[in-house]
Amino acid sequence: MSHELFEAAREAMKKSYAPYSKFPVGVAIRADDGNVYLGANIENLSFPQGWCAEPTAIGAMIMGGASKIVELAVIAEKLPLCTPCGGCRQKISEFASADTRIYLCDDAGVQKTVTMAELLPYAFETDVIG
């Protein structure tokens, strides 16, 4: 299944709009409904008004009717094994569990798998705050 997410993330990266940073990123989420939702980073000349690939995919997932991230793959054209940025880690954790698998990819495929807990060990927990 991780290979399918890698391929989907790579296709999503092709739709990135990154004319300023020249740093395309693609993300594929497999949600609790079994569907795969895609996202790419979308920049804006008025920094920091652009957004990362992860919230694009999360938005597509929510609008598609799903509510939980089962697994996620991320790929960046210029940085092998690119991890989600700090803000995106918290955004992902809102919809993921501590054991959700995050696949870090390069051109050849999935090269490393980490859990959400490894990626963001001290995440805010909604069951504590909310």
Side-chain angles (χ1 to χ4, degrees), residues 22 28 31 62-63 78 120:
K22 310 274 191 279
I62 296 299
M63 295 308 294
K78 296 182 178 181
L120 187 62

Side-chain angles (χ1 to χ4, degrees), residues 2-129:
S2 62
H3 184 74
E4 176 191 0
L5 285 184
F6 157 68
E7 293 289 345
R10 188 166 58 178
E11 287 303 308
M13 184 175 62
K14 293 177 183 177
K15 296 181 179 179
S16 168
Y17 179 73
Y20 309 108
S21 71
K22 310 274 191 279
F23 189 77
V25 179
V27 166
I29 291 173
R30 183 177 320 282
D32 56 344
D33 65 357
N35 290 320
V36 174
Y37 297 93
L38 305 179
N41 56 324
I42 303 169
E43 295 180 348
N44 188 291
L45 182 59
S46 179
F47 288 111
Q49 296 305 310
W51 56 89
C52 298
E54 294 84 350
T56 304
I58 291 168
M61 178 188 78
I62 296 299
M63 295 308 294
S67 61
K68 291 289 181 193
I69 297 171
V70 174
E71 55 187 349
L72 180 149
V74 61
I75 186 170
E77 186 176 277
K78 296 182 178 181
L79 181 63
L81 309 185
C82 179
T83 62
C85 73
C88 286
R89 292 176 191 202
Q90 186 62 51
K91 289 176 178 95
I92 294 165
S93 74
E94 182 80 13
F95 302 97
S97 66
D99 61 345
T100 296
R101 292 176 312 278
I102 311 295
Y103 305 116
L104 308 179
C105 306
D106 67 9
D107 289 348
V110 175
Q111 299 302 323
K112 184 170 181 139
T113 302
V114 297
T115 65
M116 192 66 233
E118 291 170 322
L119 196 60
L120 187 62
Y122 299 103
F124 290 135
E125 297 179 15
T126 56
D127 59 339
V128 174
I129 296 174

